[in-house]
Amino acid sequence: MSANIFLVEDEKPIITLLQYNLEKEGYKVNFAETGEEAIQNIKKNIPDLIILDWMLPDFSGIEVCKQIKKINKLKSIPVLMLTAKSEEEDKVRGFESGVDDYVTKPFSYKEILLRVKSLLKRIKPSLIEDVSTFQDLKVDRITKRIYRADKEIKVGPTEFRLLDFLIKSPQRVYSREQLLNNIWGNEINVEARTVDVHIRRLRKAINIEGLPELIRTVRSSGYSLDI
Ligand code: CA
């Protein structure tokens, strides 16, 4: 499981708890403590799922959700809302604004994990599968191994993450910036050229003589896993 989760929450202990536990499961977690900051971040680096607190210092979670669902490229991201008991009766309002599911505080971490998994499964099954394939290529997330035509291929950790990401949405073209955001995240001192270097290494590893090339360069746009 390597989906990107964006957490919008202003209570530090909850941020720490969720970040620690979700990262342990293999998710990548970014967070913001206000609605404003969250929307800016989410637009720049589109997550696979959003965990959104109802009570935030600036907007309400409902308001944040409404804004997200108004933006075309963001509206399909599932939103899991955290509510306090007293807000329970407002759930209808939440569903109307596009919230996909709820967890009531105080929650157990296990409950969050279950909801996260089921939302991701509903929206994009490939995100939580242990194995993804494209043509004769296979990524095994449990053993962290890659196979081409049933033969294991050795790649470095960055190339693994790159292919693991690309194979979730074959044929979709990603810009260098999108790849940087998704694979290197908030690491600084990484430039667009770095993407080219790792794509080149990945290509070299997975291209086998006699078999079709599986990474396409789309001029001035980026790269995709394609035939
Ligand atoms: Ca709060």
Side-chain angles (χ1 to χ4, degrees), residues 12-199:
K12 289 258 168 25
I14 296 186
I15 299 173
T16 311
L17 170 86
L18 289 183
Q19 189 173 26
Y20 173 79
N21 283 292
L22 289 167
E23 284 180 352
K24 216 169 64 184
E25 290 290 323
Y27 295 109
K28 255 188 76 190
V29 181
N30 288 302
F31 68 89
E33 293 175 39
T34 66
E36 179 65 39
E37 198 193 326
I39 291 165
Q40 295 311 322
N41 271 295
I42 289 166
K43 277 188 201 158
K44 261 191 277 169
N45 187 10
I46 301 177
D48 298 303
L49 181 135
I50 298 166
I51 301 178
L52 181 58
D53 186 30
W54 183 292
M55 295 286 282
L56 294 166
D58 51 355
F59 308 128
S60 71
I62 294 288
E63 198 48 51
V64 175
C65 186
K66 270 191 197 156
Q67 290 202 33
I68 289 167
K69 298 286 176 177
K70 256 191 263 170
I71 302 169
N72 245 338
K73 61 175 182 180
L74 306 180
K75 67 180 179 199
S76 60
I77 307 171
V79 174
L80 177 61
M81 182 79 101
L82 306 178
T83 64
K85 263 266 180 286
S86 57
E87 291 142 5
E88 288 248 283
E89 46 195 64
D90 290 329
K91 277 187 182 172
V92 178
R93 221 153 47 89
F95 281 122
E96 278 168 6
S97 68
V99 170
D100 296 273
D101 204 357
Y102 281 96
V103 172
T104 307
K105 287 178 177 177
F107 52 77
S108 75
Y109 165 67
K110 274 191 180 151
E111 196 181 348
I112 296 270
L113 189 62
L114 281 175
R115 303 294 176 94
V116 163
K117 272 190 187 167
S118 89
L119 277 176
L120 287 174
K121 199 171 177 180
R122 201 164 89 200
I123 309 290
K124 209 172 174 189
S126 62
L127 281 175
I128 59 156
E129 281 165 1
D130 293 336
V131 174
S132 285
T133 58
F134 174 70
Q135 300 286 329
D136 55 3
L137 199 58
K138 185 165 102 179
V139 171
D140 187 325
R141 300 192 174 94
I142 299 287
T143 59
K144 301 262 179 221
R145 288 193 166 131
I146 289 174
Y147 300 86
R148 175 105 204 243
D150 295 325
K151 256 183 65 187
E152 193 189 339
I153 290 164
K154 297 275 183 207
V155 296
T158 307
E159 287 72 38
F160 182 89
R161 293 213 303 271
L162 197 51
L163 183 61
D164 180 14
F165 178 74
L166 290 170
I167 206 166
K168 284 174 196 153
S169 306
Q171 282 155 331
R172 177 168 162 184
V173 179
Y174 289 99
S175 68
R176 288 174 179 81
E177 201 192 6
Q178 286 171 322
L179 292 173
L180 274 180
N181 283 337
N182 279 287
I183 288 135
W184 284 266
N186 301 329
E187 271 175 55
I188 43 166
N189 299 329
V190 186
E191 25 176 300
R193 219 180 49 86
T194 309
V195 176
D196 299 337
V197 171
H198 289 281
I199 286 278

